[in-house]
Amino acid sequence: MSRNCCDACSFPLNACICDAIRPLNHQQELIVMQHPSEVGHAKNSVRLMQLVLSNLKVFVGEQSADFVALQHYLNQCGKPVFLIYPSDDSKEIGQAAVPSNAVFILLDGTWRKAYKLLQLNPWLSQYRALHFDLASASNYTIRKSSRSDSLSTLEAAAMTLKQLDNNLDVTPLTDALAAMVNRRLAAMPAEVRQRYRKSTDTE
């Protein structure tokens, strides 16, 4: 049986985050390449991004053929494009010369699925890859990753925007994420919620 969801935020009614949504206007254009398996995920942070961010495009797919429209847009937009993805060849975003009109691509999925997106879309290699100098662990405690540098797509977006404009208030993003995490945890059975809290306390 399907769950009843809020018409405005699309989250389950017992985890509605409408009261935590505040719009964030930003100059930099963000593009999310979202793995299809993430679209209907109850803990999908891209859904929050769509509710908060003013300059965001989301393209869903897996192989190059799924992203023809995106490739055409990037080829025609006349702007420098950067990929947010940590790799041996990526550069720390704070050390990169990033123009103010740059476009940023983020891959949305688990690490395995994000890597698969990268492998199935070799055209992404033409863009300079950037990573973050992480000072703290991810606050996205309701999903797990084996990597210490793991961030939700929303957190990566917030860090990108903040790195490029230190005066920009990104709390509309981070507050929305915190609200989603807290309400999802509150909706869990007590024993399940306790397992999540224990795992984050020991990480």
Side-chain angles (χ1 to χ4, degrees):
M1 182 179 296
S2 60
R3 292 171 295 181
N4 292 325
C5 294
C6 172
D7 292 335
C9 70
S10 299
F11 283 90
L13 291 177
N14 66 349
C16 172
I17 42 79
C18 285
D19 63 339
I21 297 300
R22 292 178 288 131
L24 172 57
N25 295 316
H26 53 99
Q27 177 183 354
Q28 287 76 22
E29 182 177 355
L30 303 180
I31 292 176
V32 173
M33 292 174 59
Q34 186 174 43
H35 192 278
S37 65
E38 293 294 310
V39 175
H41 205 294
K43 304 168 187 175
N44 177 14
S45 71
V46 171
R47 191 180 307 168
L48 291 178
M49 294 167 62
Q50 291 174 305
L51 294 170
V52 172
L53 295 177
S54 64
N55 197 3
L56 171 72
K57 294 181 175 66
V58 179
F59 294 82
V60 179
E62 190 172 23
Q63 304 186 45
S64 290
D66 301 323
F67 297 106
V68 171
L70 171 57
Q71 295 175 66
H72 178 74
Y73 172 75
L74 294 173
N75 289 335
Q76 297 298 317
C77 72
K79 300 177 183 178
V81 180
F82 294 87
L83 174 68
I84 303 296
Y85 190 88
S87 68
D88 292 339
D89 299 322
S90 62
K91 188 169 186 177
E92 200 274 312
I93 189 170
Q95 303 300 317
V98 179
S100 60
N101 66 335
V103 177
F104 300 89
I105 301 174
L106 301 104
L107 307 182
D108 182 57
T110 62
W111 270 115
R112 182 177 62 82
K113 291 172 182 175
Y115 180 74
K116 188 175 182 182
L117 278 173
L118 194 65
Q119 296 303 303
L120 292 175
N121 292 274
W123 55 273
L124 287 171
S125 64
Q126 68 186 292
Y127 304 124
R128 164 62 73 76
L130 303 174
H131 66 264
F132 305 109
D133 181 11
L134 297 180
S136 60
S138 171
N139 289 321
Y140 198 26
T141 55
I142 55 173
R143 297 192 71 174
K144 302 302 177 185
S145 173
S146 59
R147 291 183 55 142
S148 60
D149 58 352
S150 176
L151 292 170
S152 68
T153 307
L154 181 148
E155 289 172 307
M159 291 185 70
T160 298
L161 294 175
K162 191 66 175 178
Q163 184 68 56
L164 300 172
D165 182 1
N166 191 52
N167 293 320
L168 182 67
D169 179 12
V170 297
T171 58
L173 274 176
T174 55
D175 287 352
L177 179 63
M180 183 188 75
V181 169
N182 289 334
R183 290 170 199 188
R184 295 299 300 180
L185 286 172
M188 292 177 179
E191 64 276 10
V192 177
R193 181 168 60 249
Q194 188 63 23
R195 287 202 299 271
Y196 275 98
R197 286 177 174 166
K198 283 182 178 179
S199 64
T200 54
D201 287 342
T202 56
E203 286 175 354

